[in-house]
Amino acid sequence: MGQKMNNAPVYFTVAQVLFNPILNLEGYLPTIQDRMRAAHFPDFKREVFQQLVVPFGAGEAGQAPTPSFIQQARCIFGDIEGTTGFVLENNALAIQTTAYETFETFSKAFLQGLSIVHEALRLDFTERVGLRYLDAVLPHTNESLADYLAPEVLGLSPKLSGQLSHSVSETVTLNAVGQLISRVIIQD
């Protein structure tokens, strides 16, 4: 079991699962909202946003395809503190938090929310699962990032002279259950 780090650099964490689209999600919302409220996520909001759709391929008569906007709806189920919430769309559920403790605590909450959604919707398949941590590492005076991070994520920045503008490192691995992408972005 993990332990919470003192002065942990994690300031925002999000996990998301993409699943089969549910076009009549609105009909299931009362059940989902009631179960989320019972799971200590009583702050309910419904939002409508615009999604940009960029078609691929040639348009009519060889013209470039025209991008369009479609309206999308999402529901947010937040906790009382306003630090953790679920975002439900017709094909995805995400949990996001600014109060990350440990992976075990975070994943338990995520699986609880996913279970609530699955029980109501009876999801058929999962297309993708993602997890993202946003960290802020702020070295003290006379310290550097190398004092805090593993050399593998620093890239060439410690070896080069001059003022660092930014550094990006990406590693993609394939394994039996799918693909793992690790990205590290360092900027001043």
Side-chain angles (χ1 to χ4, degrees), residues 3-17:
Q3 292 182 323
K4 183 178 179 183
M5 295 170 60
N6 291 334
N7 302 317
V10 177
Y11 69 90
F12 185 77
T13 307
V14 61
Q16 181 190 55
V17 62

Side-chain angles (χ1 to χ4, degrees), residues 8-187:
V10 177
Y11 69 90
F12 185 77
T13 307
V14 61
Q16 181 190 55
V17 62
L18 296 180
F19 47 76
N20 55 290
I22 308 296
L23 299 180
N24 63 344
L25 181 62
E26 197 70 29
Y28 296 96
L29 284 179
T31 300
I32 294 170
Q33 191 276 333
D34 187 55
R35 291 183 181 159
M36 285 290 194
R37 183 186 52 74
H40 307 290
F41 293 93
D43 186 18
F44 176 76
K45 295 179 185 88
R46 182 180 285 121
E47 295 179 345
V48 176
F49 63 97
Q50 299 288 325
Q51 181 177 10
L52 175 65
V53 177
V54 180
F56 291 100
E60 294 179 23
Q63 297 290 323
T66 306
S68 61
F69 289 94
I70 59 171
Q71 276 198 346
Q72 288 276 103
R74 65 178 161 215
C75 298
I76 300 170
F77 307 91
D79 63 3
I80 293 292
E81 296 82 16
T83 58
T84 303
F86 286 93
V87 179
L88 177 63
E89 298 178 18
N90 73 338
N91 69 334
L93 178 71
I95 184 173
Q96 53 193 27
T97 188
T98 56
Y100 186 87
E101 294 282 329
T102 63
F103 178 76
E104 289 82 4
T105 304
F106 181 75
S107 61
K108 181 179 175 186
F110 182 51
L111 291 175
Q112 180 183 21
L114 185 58
S115 176
I116 289 169
V117 170
H118 176 63
E119 287 170 13
L121 301 178
R122 295 290 172 214
L123 302 173
D124 294 313
F125 65 85
T126 298
E127 185 176 321
R128 184 180 75 108
V129 177
L131 174 64
R132 181 171 289 183
Y133 293 94
L134 297 179
D135 297 346
V137 178
L138 304 170
H140 298 287
T141 307
N142 300 324
E143 292 181 330
S144 72
L145 280 178
D147 296 326
Y148 291 87
L149 302 178
E152 294 82 2
V153 301
L154 291 172
L156 291 175
S157 59
K159 306 272 187 223
L160 302 174
S161 62
Q163 177 68 32
L164 175 69
S165 172
H166 69 276
S167 173
V168 178
S169 170
E170 178 177 283
T171 302
V172 180
T173 57
L174 303 173
N175 58 41
V177 295
Q179 175 177 283
L180 174 66
I181 302 171
S182 172
R183 288 187 191 105
V184 177
I185 300 169
I186 300 172
Q187 62 187 28

